Amino acid sequence: MRIIRAADCLVMPWKNGGGTTTEIAVAPEGASLSDFDWRISMAHVGQDGPFSSFPGIDRTLSVLTGAGITLAFGDGEHVRLDRTSAPYPFAADRAVDGLLVEGPIDDLNVMSRRGRWRHRVERLSGAGSLNASEGLLVLVARKGDWQVNGAALPAGDSAILDAPERVELVASGGEAELYAVWLTAI
């Protein structure tokens, strides 16, 4: 298991220049925004505007803080996401504008290159077990202090596990929240 400390994460401008993102992990390591296989990041969204387009990429968006965002897709579909919404998957090359519901938000973005990797994201709020028999499992601790197979994972930090098969999670603190990201090579 590799722990990624929040303080060690790279902050960079969005691809479209409209804000900043904090990169948690990317593969291959050091890949740019145009040649990654998969990428996990958090963004601060302070104003309405278009999402960056990532041709050939699938994306899942989760609202971490704030009242929420409406995704206004170019084909007319509108999807409203807030803190209680399930992580929302969509094609990252689909034209979409983000319309803030009531002030800024922070979100979690998981992206994978279509045809090479696939991913799924789940928000967890308590102790339990996870199975991951192939690929990678990335855990992003948002609230509370977590134990991952006995190792400490404080809020803000993340962990990458290679095909761990079974992961035991224990949470402490009143509000506990962790995002589990499964990444599998195709």
Side-chain angles (χ1 to χ4, degrees), residues 38-40 108-111 118-122 130 132 136-140 159 161 178-183:
W38 59 262
R39 182 174 188 266
I40 301 171
L108 178 69
N109 283 286
V110 177
M111 296 188 281
R118 68 177 178 267
H119 72 268
R120 72 180 174 92
V121 181
E122 185 178 347
L130 298 175
L136 300 170
L137 174 61
V138 180
L139 303 172
V140 180
L161 298 95
L178 177 137
Y179 285 82
V181 179
W182 287 266
L183 293 153

Side-chain angles (χ1 to χ4, degrees), residues 22-54:
T22 301
E23 186 175 86
I24 297 169
V26 64
E29 195 167 325
S32 72
L33 292 177
S34 60
D35 65 356
F36 62 84
D37 285 335
W38 59 262
R39 182 174 188 266
I40 301 171
S41 63
M42 290 184 291
H44 178 74
V45 183
Q47 62 186 18
D48 296 347
F51 273 53
S52 299
S53 178
F54 288 90

Side-chain angles (χ1 to χ4, degrees), residues 62-63 82-87 121-125 177-180:
S62 305
V63 174
D82 61 28
R83 291 269 313 113
T84 64
S85 303
V121 181
E122 185 178 347
R123 182 179 55 237
L124 306 172
S125 60
E177 182 177 73
L178 177 137
Y179 285 82

Side-chain angles (χ1 to χ4, degrees), residues 39-166:
R39 182 174 188 266
I40 301 171
S41 63
M42 290 184 291
H44 178 74
V45 183
Q47 62 186 18
D48 296 347
F51 273 53
S52 299
S53 178
F54 288 90
I57 299 294
D58 291 319
R59 166 186 259 166
T60 299
L61 187 74
S62 305
V63 174
L64 302 175
T65 66
I69 190 168
T70 297
L71 303 179
F73 291 97
D75 60 9
E77 181 183 9
H78 284 71
V79 176
R80 183 174 168 159
L81 302 175
D82 61 28
R83 291 269 313 113
T84 64
S85 303
Y88 183 74
F90 60 98
D93 46 11
R94 191 174 171 202
V96 61
D97 285 330
L99 309 172
L100 296 171
V101 172
E102 191 178 305
I105 67 161
D106 292 304
D107 63 36
L108 178 69
N109 283 286
V110 177
M111 296 188 281
S112 59
R113 187 155 309 276
R114 199 174 301 130
R116 286 203 281 203
W117 286 83
R118 68 177 178 267
H119 72 268
R120 72 180 174 92
V121 181
E122 185 178 347
R123 182 179 55 237
L124 306 172
S125 60
S129 298
L130 298 175
N131 288 315
S133 59
E134 61 182 60
L136 300 170
L137 174 61
V138 180
L139 303 172
V140 180
R142 290 294 304 149
K143 294 180 182 177
D145 289 319
W146 291 83
Q147 293 283 322
V148 179
N149 290 345
L153 187 66
D157 291 352
S158 301
I160 299 178
L161 298 95
D162 291 311
E165 292 193 21
R166 189 159 190 82

